[in-house]
Amino acid sequence: MSTPAEQLNTFNDYKVRDITLADWGRKEIKIAEGEMPALMKLREKYKAEQPLKGANIMGCIHMTIQTAVLIETLIELGASVRWSSCNIFSTQDQAAAAIAAQGIPVFAWKGETEEEYEWCLERTIGADVAGWEPNMILDDGGDLTALLHDKFPEILASCHGVTEETTTGVHRLQEMLREGTLKVPAINVNDAVTKSKNDNKYGCRHSLNDAIKRGTDHLMAGKKALVIGYGDVGKGSAASLRQEGMIVKVTEADPICAMQACMDGFEVVSPYLNGVNTGTEAGIDKALLQNTDLLVTTTGNMNVCDAHMLKALKNGAVVCNIGHFDNEIDTAFMRKNWEWDEVKPQVHVVYRDKATNDHLILLSEGRLVNLGNATGHPSRIMDGSFANQVLAQMYLFERKFADLPEEARAKGVYVQVLPKQLDEEVARAMVEGFGGVITKMTPEQAKYIGVPVEGPYKPESYKY
């Protein structure tokens, strides 16, 4: 993977904060490879056949050390890539530098402005780059996919599909599919079990409390937390706070998720009196919010911590979001009406009334807190997510959607979860990476429950 020094001296198709961080990044990448057995297994298994040869991938996922391992796995399997981060605060600058130092086009640095972020997306597409003919999309949150649909239809027409990493991006794809505006097939990586349970649930369990402690240095034990949402991200987040000794309550709109929260021992409450959002301050359960030390949003929905809730929160409460976009918390209201004081990068004291020191502590400006204030999920967690991404890219590239006749393309647009046998392939590699041994059923046992000996072992309807 090394690039000769003389070649790097002429390579300028990148923008990172500091290219001299590359050696540090490379050392961390080597450590991460040892913690990502599924990706290493895919390199070993598929490198000889080069299944991604000819795949020119536009990638937009948080530019972390773990993403560097993903990028280099795609390249090992034959792909070419251009890359940017899907969040202005999530880049690890040493990781971006290490990738650029290999002669790989990457446009990412921690603390981008919104304008710089948009510029990075356009450089990822590389519409003006000679000899570059992009034909695959790898996205996280859907911004790159949306930009291609809005501004680059001629490039989109040559794309075989998109693989989407996160809940919010999947929602956007499904909305486009319903409206008839989605132009390429999409693999929903987010809802593969080896992604949703590892990344969304167990990853958040590991990384949320880490981010809050790095951001605030607060003791969490004994304090009261409110987790907005109890999907997989909410489940992991609530567990993360509970294992720190916090007293955790949960809000939910989905009765099944709310039931699960009850069964897991969390009190299900609402920030609104009788659960009804009247859109007024009078409808807020002030007794609940004035007794809340930490509020975390986890939903992928908008304004789940709205202006009236922010007004009612306890003085000094910490507020953060572990969902993808910054509109879960009404940060626009906070910017318009209250005074912000930066304590350090990604930590702000937001004064509701500076004269009385009435304030909230906002982390990562309401963006993805575990990547803004910490380093995100550990490598072993991201191994499952990114192995799914590799297999999903292979799946779409093999089917060559863009080469189909026009009528077939019109009928061939979909949003579907990665096939279960590929999900199981990732899980098997992860278990082996832990040193686990999976039991193989006898033919008689497999026949008895109606599954192949080699899997898949559960019907699509099975809830893990």
Side-chain angles (χ1 to χ4, degrees):
M1 299 297 298
S2 62
T3 302
E6 62 273 16
Q7 180 179 334
L8 185 58
N9 288 339
T10 63
F11 175 70
N12 58 12
D13 193 13
Y14 69 90
K15 185 170 177 60
V16 300
R17 180 170 302 282
D18 185 354
I19 194 66
T20 67
L21 299 176
D23 287 346
W24 171 25
R26 179 55 49 189
K27 291 173 184 176
E28 291 200 339
I29 289 168
K30 296 305 294 182
I31 292 173
E33 287 177 349
E35 278 287 293
M36 304 185 86
L39 280 180
M40 295 302 103
K41 185 68 176 281
L42 292 181
R43 291 189 191 185
E44 175 188 338
K45 181 175 181 179
Y46 294 110
K47 184 174 181 179
E49 64 183 82
Q50 294 285 282
L52 292 174
K53 185 176 182 180
N56 297 323
I57 301 170
M58 300 169 282
C60 184
I61 287 187
H62 312 283
M63 187 56 251
T64 64
I65 292 296
Q66 293 73 33
T67 298
V69 181
L70 166 62
I71 290 169
E72 293 185 347
T73 300
L74 295 168
I75 291 171
E76 288 268 6
L77 302 188
S80 296
V81 308
R82 296 178 69 84
W83 214 270
S84 57
S85 181
C86 60
N87 183 290
I88 64 173
F89 294 138
S90 63
T91 296
Q92 292 172 274
D93 289 317
Q94 71 274 26
I99 290 300
Q102 297 298 322
I104 301 166
V106 57
F107 309 90
W109 58 97
K110 192 177 184 76
E112 298 164 11
T113 65
E114 290 285 356
E115 293 75 19
E116 289 168 337
Y117 173 73
E118 295 293 335
W119 179 85
C120 290
L121 284 181
E122 297 219 6
R123 297 316 305 152
T124 303
I125 293 169
D128 59 350
V129 176
W132 167 252
E133 298 178 357
N135 55 22
M136 294 291 294
I137 311 161
L138 194 158
D139 208 356
D140 186 326
D143 283 347
L144 182 61
T145 303
L147 181 60
L148 284 159
H149 277 77
D150 292 343
K151 290 186 64 176
F152 297 95
E154 71 286 355
I155 290 178
L156 193 67
S158 301
C159 289
H160 301 304
V162 54
T163 60
E164 171 56 51
E165 176 78 4
T166 199
T167 306
T168 304
V170 170
H171 287 166
R172 295 171 84 177
L173 287 171
Q174 290 169 336
E175 182 180 14
M176 293 170 73
L177 184 66
R178 288 193 300 271
E179 295 174 350
T181 59
L182 184 62
K183 301 302 182 185
V184 294
I187 295 295
N188 167 5
V189 170
N190 179 72
D191 290 309
V193 179
T194 44
K195 195 281 182 182
S196 62
K197 298 303 178 187
N198 284 296
D199 187 323
N200 295 4
K201 185 177 181 182
Y202 304 131
C204 292
R205 184 180 69 183
H206 175 99
S207 63
L208 175 60
N209 58 38
D210 178 35
I212 294 166
K213 288 186 287 187
R214 292 197 202 202
T216 66
D217 290 319
H218 282 182
L219 176 71
M220 299 170 71
K223 294 183 178 178
K224 297 177 177 65
L226 183 64
V227 175
I228 310 293
Y230 203 71
D232 282 326
V233 174
K235 289 178 175 69
S237 297
S240 183
L241 303 180
R242 172 185 270 175
Q243 68 193 21
E244 285 294 321
M246 296 197 80
I247 301 160
V248 182
K249 297 182 180 182
V250 168
T251 82
E252 248 302 340
D254 183 327
I256 293 176
C257 291
M259 176 203 70
Q260 290 177 311
C262 291
M263 294 294 187
D264 288 337
F266 297 105
E267 183 180 357
V268 175
V269 299
S270 175
Y272 308 109
L273 295 173
N274 301 314
V276 179
N277 183 358
T278 63
T280 66
E281 289 187 47
I284 295 294
D285 186 344
K286 294 181 181 178
L288 171 69
L289 293 176
Q290 288 172 2
N291 200 31
T292 295
D293 299 294
L294 168 69
L295 185 146
V296 183
T297 59
T298 75
T299 68
N301 205 343
M302 63 176 291
N303 270 2
V304 293
C305 178
D306 61 28
H308 298 308
M309 292 169 60
L310 291 164
K311 292 177 186 177
L313 273 169
K314 180 179 182 178
N315 182 19
V318 177
V319 182
C320 61
N321 167 46
I322 198 169
H324 188 81
F325 287 120
D326 65 347
N327 60 357
E328 296 204 34
I329 301 165
D330 193 351
T331 54
F333 173 86
M334 299 174 81
R335 290 186 187 280
K336 183 177 180 181
N337 294 280
W338 296 335
E339 181 179 345
W340 291 43
D341 185 15
E342 184 179 73
V343 179
K344 60 182 178 180
Q346 288 79 63
V347 179
H348 287 82
V349 172
V350 181
Y351 289 101
R352 295 179 296 196
D353 181 359
K354 195 168 186 178
T356 61
N357 195 33
D358 180 25
H359 67 277
L360 302 173
I361 298 174
L362 181 67
L363 303 182
S364 291
E365 300 185 35
R367 296 176 185 271
L368 206 59
V369 67
N370 59 332
L371 278 156
N373 288 90
T375 57
H377 303 331
S379 299
R380 190 66 66 122
I381 291 292
M382 296 312 301
D383 190 34
S385 295
F386 288 167
N388 275 289
Q389 281 285 3
V390 172
L391 290 173
Q393 288 282 315
M394 289 166 52
Y395 180 89
L396 287 175
F397 187 65
E398 180 183 5
R399 282 153 181 79
K400 298 291 192 296
F401 169 83
D403 297 344
L404 296 174
E406 185 174 347
E407 183 179 346
R409 290 204 305 274
K411 296 178 180 178
V413 175
Y414 54 78
V415 179
Q416 69 180 40
V417 179
L418 194 69
K420 191 174 291 289
Q421 62 267 30
L422 298 181
D423 210 348
E424 290 180 354
E425 179 179 347
V426 173
R428 181 173 288 106
M430 293 187 74
V431 171
E432 291 171 355
F434 282 114
V437 179
I438 297 175
T439 299
K440 187 173 183 178
M441 283 189 287
T442 66
E444 293 77 16
Q445 289 172 323
K447 182 178 179 181
Y448 185 76
I449 62 171
V451 301
V453 170
E454 67 278 3
Y457 299 99
K458 299 289 190 293
E460 292 297 330
S461 59
Y462 185 80
K463 303 294 187 294
Y464 289 87

